[in-house]
Amino acid sequence: MKSASGIAEMNRLKIGFVLARSFTLSAFALFVDTLRLASDEADRSGRIFADWQVLASTRHLITSSCGVQVAPTSDLVDPSLFDYIVVVGGLLNTEFPVDDETVRYLKKAAAGKVPLIGVCTGTFVLADAGLMKFHRTCVSWLHYQAFRQRFPDHEVRSDRIFNLDRTRGSCAGGSSAADMAASIVRRHISERAERNALEVLQIDKARPALHIQPRRPLSIECNDPRLQAALIAMENHIENTISISEIAASVGLSRRQLERLFMEKTKTSPALVYKKVRLERAKQLLLETSVPMLDIAIEVGFENASHFSRVFRETFGMPPSKLRSAVAGGTSLVDR
């Protein structure tokens, strides 16, 4: 007959962490501390219901984006020993976030059906390894365009805080790392363990995967999650524009319901707001880059430069060429 400790050992949630170079310390800390606090009562830190290791191909210290270093605790052992392998990313300008041996290890884990999770830009590491192509990926709104440009054939979204999709998971990073970890704790250990972890972390309640990423697109003051999600959908479809009906469906509303919501909260229609989103992006490109006018027009969803110029002038009171030349010449545009 097995002892209680033996049963706990058999059922213990086991997670391996792969930390990329310049990884985000807060995302890693929140994820692993949620596990630590869920693994034991109060704050005793015993590894009773969960265990974790920091995996690496060498025992060299891994430096985070803030400069704090973390020591690996394990070699790249058999990935089947873990219930999940979590890749924590960080700065995107790091040329080789993980080495080739680690990439091979992640591919081996995927081949063995071990669930892989990308936290923060850990999703880029997994996608670079070809391990996210057939899975929906959740990234921070800050990294959405970069992900689309690097992996145009991948399905990606930046309105939700995390996603668990079959044998893959992805998380926007930041505080949502604790939300994702809490959902895993609830699934594999218990609701009581989840509550214990969150209470010690001073988190009132774990947010579900469908929670909208905290952001205020266009600086519109609104707490309605449906409107926030619609605005993010507009920002994510500037070049490849979609219909208002499609935007409405993406947030669980009919077109008429979405139009009523926008009129109630913003005093304008979603179509006009969508146009403003696209033109604000065009204005940014005009002011900050030397991209040709036609390319800007296409990038913000117009078929030709003349149509773009006409709509831009109607919105901002001057053609885009005049705005660019005025800024280049140092002319003040204040109050124009």
Side-chain angles (χ1 to χ4, degrees), residues 106-125:
L106 294 172
K107 290 180 177 180
K108 179 181 178 180
K113 307 300 182 185
V114 178
L116 301 175
I117 294 175
V119 172
C120 192
T121 61
T123 50
F124 285 73
V125 175

Side-chain angles (χ1 to χ4, degrees), residues 7 20 32 64 129 157 187 212 238-239 249 254 303-304 320 331:
I7 294 172
V32 74
S64 68
R157 65 189 306 169
R187 176 186 298 180
I212 303 300
I238 289 177
E239 178 182 358
S254 68
E303 293 183 357
N304 55 66
T331 304

Side-chain angles (χ1 to χ4, degrees), residues 194-220:
E194 177 197 25
R195 282 197 306 273
N196 182 71
L198 296 179
E199 285 174 359
V200 179
L201 287 171
Q202 299 293 303
I203 297 174
D204 290 336
K205 184 180 180 181
R207 297 170 296 179
L210 296 179
H211 189 88
I212 303 300
Q213 286 190 29
R215 192 190 175 202
R216 196 181 307 129
L218 290 180
S219 298
I220 291 176

Side-chain angles (χ1 to χ4, degrees), residues 161 174 277:
I161 58 173
V277 168

Side-chain angles (χ1 to χ4, degrees), residues 21 38 51 76 177 187 206 235 252-253 271 277 290 336:
R21 297 184 181 96
D51 194 16
L76 298 176
R187 176 186 298 180
E235 289 189 336
L253 298 174
V277 168
S290 58
R336 289 195 178 189

